[in-house]
Amino acid sequence: MKLQSITLKNFRQFKGTQDFDLTSDKLKPVTLLFGANGAGKTTLLNAFTWGLYGNMSEDVEQQDRMVTDSSWRALPVGDSIEVAVEVRFDHEGQDYRLLRSATLRKESDDQGPISAQLQLWTTKADGSSEVSHAPQETILSILPVGVSRFFFFNGERIENLVKKGAYAEVQKDIKVLLDLEQVERAIANLPRVNRRLTDDLKKHGGATASAIQDAIDSLTDRQAKAKDDLKVVDANLAELDEERSRTEDLLRQHAEAAPIQAERDAVTKELEEARAARDAALNERKVLVATRGFQAFTGTLGEATKTMAETLYQKGALPAPLKREFVDKLLDEGACICGTPLAKHTDSWEHVKEWRQRAGLQAVETAWQRVSGQIAPLADAREGLREALATLMNRIGIERERVARLEARKSELDGKLKDNRMEGVQNLETKRLDLEGRIAVKNQRKGSIETELLNVVKEIEQKTKERSRAQVTDELANKARSRSDLVTSVKRALEEILAIREEDMRLRLDAELKAVFKSITHQAHVPTLSEGFELTLHKNVNGVELPVPKSTGENQILSLSFVAAVSKLAREIRRERRAEGAGAEDAGTFPIVMDAAFGSLDQDYQEAVSRALAKMAPQLVVLVSKSQGLGRVVTELLPYVSHLGVIETHTTAAGQVADDIELEGMSYPYIRSAETDHSELKVIK
């Protein structure tokens, strides 16, 4: 999907009909638009989502006021006015023209809710055009609404992607984008198919098979309910964790509580480090005991072996004066090395045979030589094991003491906040403690559900084996059982395929995330995309991986890096499919339209993000204010800009409000006094 243009008609701040060209190429993929605060940058961003999906983001206030205020006020009561957004784009070899519009009749000064209509026209390569009879379905097939969060977003709110409450939705949308949802849908549909098959088995399979199948059905229902319950608990945990974070933020902002909360934050961070260090030492001890623990019990064995060897030496058995294999050869050949014949049962033969009993086996002596070479170092190994264990026990003791001390200090700080004389502080801390308790209860519930799921899976497997052994004489029931077994096998195979593909996608996404993040930040932090699609930051401190508390700026960079990684991987997936003979050349290509891309970033980060932006996607529409976009940002982006524009603000505010913006050595109107409040899209190049 590549944007070609957008046209607005009486759409909120944008009075009359205004359009802007968005075409771009690989060398210059960026469209850069400047606008003052309130000029309509967020409105323009939402014009895309309203045109595509008929909705706008939650941060848009008074969403019923769709028509430009000045145009609505000037409209006589009883007359009508049109509001519309037209978006032209191309996708997989076809050109599209999308028009979402509504006509409002003025009944009063207040604008009422609108009922917009969507139309979609397709123009093929030969120039022929046709109307889509299912326009919204077509749009959703091109870019599902959930996936659009990665391509149309407000930079100041993009950090929502790293909030715990977003992980489940993000994971779901990523699966859609990366072609994993088809497998999930198949897995979800198979139990319904299986239930229809097993109905025949229960009807015609006899009492035993029917009872077993009833048990399997009951277990399957329990499994489905447990999975649903687990999703609910995970969502609740995410909400509670977010609420706890907000409560702690309020404590940090409270003048009375701030110093205590700051110390508690520091203690909590150190406590996490101490626990991590303690657990690392405990794990090292576990590995040491598992791999070298046997050495502690080799002292007596080594001494006994050494004593036995000395006895054999004293008897002359070690080293053996000759080898048994050599004596056997003499007896078989019937002649001694001195030439004396060795006929069986003669005195000479008996004499040589006596030497055979004293001779040593080559394999035994070789084994002894190998063992004897290891007896001496065993003492050193035991001493090394003793020293290593002593060192680890000392580390474990130190970290345990540190954990206990920090836990006690944290408890003291909790008490100070809970017993604070300021009622507001007390209430906040009481709320935080309540949230801690509720989170603990939810975690216990989660563990219980996960255990139940494991047990149910084992029971289903056992019952399925019993069903396969049950005697069934009815042919229809036997076929139903065979087909049910086949469906179960297919479901299991699909689940394994999904797990493999999902993990492969996650690892690829994680690797790309790390690469993009590293190119932007100057911090030695490493981002990670967990198995649950949780975005986290950590750092390595003396070999221990510790979480990094994320600031607003770091959240924004982490989210931007994630968006860039998603965009790139989506294109790679589609290219891989195209190599297999499916898909168009631009499959997996989506634009990124971003408002306030630089949010609260400092100048160094603004420059780094600007450099990365041009590489994020094949097409970028960047909406920035003068304060955000001038300087390093515009310097970095201009070489990649195909279209440069200004959202010119017209205001009725009194006083000297006029302002200009200087771009490429030229001055352009930025804010102007006017008789009505509205904005205009102005093309600079």
Side-chain angles (χ1 to χ4, degrees):
M1 181 182 190
K2 292 286 293 294
L3 298 172
Q4 296 174 350
S5 68
I6 185 168
T7 300
L8 311 176
K9 186 173 183 180
N10 298 318
F11 188 78
R12 295 179 72 84
Q13 291 103 312
F14 296 94
K15 185 178 181 180
T17 300
Q18 301 185 43
D19 57 64
F20 201 88
D21 187 3
L22 299 170
T23 55
S24 62
D25 55 38
K26 292 181 180 179
L27 296 178
K28 293 189 174 185
V30 180
T31 293
L32 183 59
L33 270 163
F34 286 88
N37 291 334
K41 298 188 299 296
T42 301
T43 295
L44 184 58
L45 170 65
N46 278 274
F48 286 101
T49 57
W50 188 77
L52 289 167
Y53 309 109
N55 57 49
M56 293 187 286
S57 60
E58 295 178 357
D59 57 325
V60 176
E61 298 179 355
Q62 301 181 27
Q63 297 194 9
D64 283 346
R65 290 169 59 182
M66 295 292 292
V67 178
T68 312
D69 285 341
S70 59
S71 299
W72 183 257
R73 286 196 299 270
L75 185 70
V77 174
D79 284 4
S80 299
I81 190 170
E82 184 184 20
V83 59
V85 170
E86 179 186 277
V87 180
R88 292 177 181 266
F89 63 94
D90 61 78
H91 181 70
E92 297 190 355
Q94 291 188 338
D95 289 338
Y96 294 86
R97 181 167 74 91
L98 173 153
L99 177 64
R100 191 179 295 272
S101 62
T103 300
L104 279 76
R105 187 173 187 273
K106 185 171 182 180
E107 302 290 348
S108 66
D109 287 337
D110 295 328
Q111 296 185 36
I114 66 172
S115 178
Q117 292 185 332
L118 176 64
Q119 295 172 281
L120 184 67
W121 294 268
T122 305
T123 303
K124 298 181 180 179
D126 61 3
S128 61
S129 180
E130 62 181 27
V131 178
S132 172
H133 297 293
Q136 193 62 73
E137 289 74 10
T138 302
I139 295 299
L140 292 174
S141 69
I142 294 172
L143 184 60
V145 63
V147 174
S148 67
R149 75 169 76 194
F150 303 115
F151 303 108
F152 299 91
F153 56 83
N154 184 319
E156 292 177 341
R157 292 173 178 80
I158 192 178
E159 68 269 13
N160 288 333
L161 289 177
V162 304
K163 291 184 177 180
K164 290 185 179 296
Y167 300 147
E169 287 298 316
V170 168
Q171 183 178 20
K172 176 183 175 183
D173 295 336
I174 289 295
K175 288 179 180 179
V176 172
L177 189 63
L178 302 183
D179 284 349
L180 296 176
E181 86 285 2
Q182 297 98 324
V183 182
E184 281 198 326
R185 283 202 298 268
I187 293 172
N189 288 328
L190 282 174
R192 289 192 288 272
V193 175
N194 195 35
R195 188 62 66 94
R196 288 198 296 270
L197 292 171
T198 55
D199 283 344
D200 287 337
L201 177 61
K202 288 193 290 185
K203 288 178 183 177
H204 309 288
T208 302
S210 180
I212 294 172
Q213 187 57 52
D214 281 336
I216 292 174
D217 290 345
S218 177
L219 288 167
T220 303
D221 291 340
R222 279 177 55 193
Q223 183 184 38
K225 184 179 182 302
K227 287 181 177 180
D228 290 339
D229 289 346
L230 188 59
K231 289 179 182 178
V232 172
V233 170
D234 281 335
N236 290 339
L237 275 170
E239 292 173 2
L240 289 172
D241 192 70
E242 289 292 336
E243 191 173 356
R244 179 179 59 182
S245 297
R246 288 194 296 269
T247 303
E248 290 175 344
D249 285 339
L250 290 174
L251 285 167
R252 294 183 187 101
Q253 296 165 16
H254 197 289
E256 182 77 16
I260 302 174
Q261 180 61 39
E263 184 180 355
R264 182 165 67 179
D265 287 341
V267 169
T268 301
K269 181 180 179 182
E270 189 178 353
L271 180 59
E272 290 176 352
E273 294 176 2
R275 285 170 174 164
R278 177 201 61 192
D279 293 344
L282 286 169
N283 188 60
E284 286 182 42
R285 185 182 66 178
K286 184 191 300 181
V287 172
L288 182 65
V289 171
T291 56
R292 294 180 55 193
F294 71 92
Q295 294 172 350
F297 305 98
T298 59
T300 303
L301 179 63
E303 290 299 321
T305 304
K306 185 177 179 182
T307 300
M308 182 178 67
E310 288 175 352
T311 301
L312 291 172
Y313 273 113
Q314 291 170 2
K315 292 180 178 179
L318 284 174
L322 71 165
K323 303 298 179 232
R324 184 175 297 176
E325 290 84 356
F326 175 69
V327 177
D328 286 340
K329 184 178 180 182
L330 295 179
L331 293 173
D332 290 341
E333 292 178 352
C336 184
I337 57 174
C338 62
T340 303
L342 296 176
K344 282 187 178 182
H345 307 301
T346 62
D347 291 341
S348 299
W349 185 85
E350 293 290 347
H351 185 66
V352 172
K353 187 178 179 182
E354 289 178 8
W355 274 103
R356 184 182 185 280
Q357 303 303 320
R358 287 181 282 172
L361 282 172
Q362 179 68 41
V364 173
E365 188 160 342
T366 300
W368 161 248
Q369 289 172 349
R370 186 164 58 249
V371 171
S372 64
Q374 296 174 351
I375 289 177
L378 275 177
D380 294 336
R382 287 194 300 274
E383 184 62 28
L385 175 64
R386 187 179 297 109
E387 292 176 358
L389 281 172
T391 300
L392 282 172
M393 290 304 297
N394 184 53
R395 274 177 56 194
I396 291 169
I398 291 173
E399 296 304 335
R400 279 176 171 166
E401 182 181 348
R402 185 158 72 114
V403 167
R405 173 174 53 80
L406 291 168
E407 285 177 339
R409 181 55 183 161
K410 183 176 180 298
S411 181
E412 290 177 14
L413 295 170
D414 292 346
K416 283 185 178 182
L417 288 170
K418 186 178 180 181
D419 301 331
N420 193 282
R421 57 189 175 82
M422 299 290 291
E423 185 177 352
V425 176
Q426 287 182 14
N427 292 339
L428 285 172
E429 180 60 15
T430 300
K431 180 180 180 180
R432 190 194 70 81
L433 290 172
D434 176 64
L435 289 167
E436 291 274 9
R438 290 164 65 188
I439 288 171
V441 170
K442 291 293 182 183
N443 276 321
Q444 289 178 348
R445 173 63 178 150
K446 180 178 180 179
S448 175
I449 294 172
E450 288 174 339
T451 300
E452 182 185 3
L453 276 171
L454 289 174
N455 292 334
V456 168
V457 168
K458 291 178 181 178
E459 289 183 53
I460 290 175
E461 290 177 353
Q462 179 60 35
K463 289 295 181 183
T464 302
K465 290 177 182 177
E466 292 179 15
R467 189 185 68 177
S468 66
R469 294 193 296 266
Q471 185 175 0
V472 175
T473 57
D474 185 87
E475 184 179 352
L476 180 61
N478 197 39
K479 285 183 178 180
R481 180 172 60 179
S482 299
R483 289 171 179 172
S484 177
D485 289 341
L486 178 60
V487 169
T488 301
S489 299
V490 170
K491 182 174 179 289
R492 188 182 301 113
L494 287 176
E495 287 172 341
E496 292 176 0
I497 290 170
L498 178 63
I500 293 169
R501 288 187 62 190
E502 186 175 356
E503 181 63 7
D504 176 60
M505 295 300 178
R506 187 188 66 81
L507 292 175
R508 290 173 65 177
L509 199 51
D510 179 70
E512 191 61 37
L513 169 68
K514 286 177 167 60
V516 177
F517 187 85
K518 185 177 180 181
S519 71
I520 294 176
T521 184
H522 54 265
Q523 298 281 2
H525 297 162
V526 180
T528 299
L529 184 65
S530 72
E531 291 183 3
F533 280 70
E534 176 182 354
L535 285 169
T536 60
L537 275 178
H538 64 270
K539 62 181 178 180
N540 187 294
V541 179
N542 298 325
V544 179
E545 298 292 339
L546 297 175
V548 176
K550 301 186 289 293
S551 65
T552 301
E554 285 175 322
N555 278 341
Q556 190 171 356
I557 292 171
L558 183 59
S559 299
L560 283 170
S561 302
F562 182 64
V563 167
V566 168
S567 177
K568 182 176 179 182
L569 188 57
R571 295 195 303 277
E572 289 180 355
I573 298 297
R574 298 310 197 282
R575 279 201 297 268
E576 290 168 5
R577 287 179 56 192
R578 190 161 61 88
E580 297 170 359
E585 184 177 356
D586 64 344
T589 296
F590 298 102
I592 291 181
V593 181
M594 54 201 313
D595 175 28
F598 306 99
S600 56
L601 301 179
D602 60 28
Q603 287 190 351
D604 289 337
Y605 274 146
Q606 286 183 3
E607 185 176 359
V609 169
S610 300
R611 282 196 298 268
L613 280 177
K615 302 174 184 177
M616 283 179 64
Q619 184 180 36
L620 278 165
V621 179
V622 182
L623 311 172
V624 290
S625 64
K626 185 164 67 171
S627 61
Q628 289 181 340
L630 292 182
R632 296 183 179 183
V633 171
V634 73
T635 300
E636 291 291 339
L637 283 179
L638 271 179
Y640 304 98
V641 169
S642 57
H643 298 287
L644 182 63
V646 172
I647 303 175
E648 187 179 303
T649 302
H650 293 257
T651 177
T652 58
Q656 297 295 323
V657 295
D659 190 17
D660 291 337
I661 183 171
E662 187 171 322
L663 296 167
E664 296 185 303
M666 298 288 289
S667 184
Y668 301 93
Y670 194 59
I671 302 175
R672 287 291 183 266
S673 295
E675 295 181 354
T676 62
D677 294 312
H678 65 279
S679 297
E680 296 180 9
L681 290 172
K682 294 295 184 70
V683 178
I684 292 177
K685 75 168 187 178

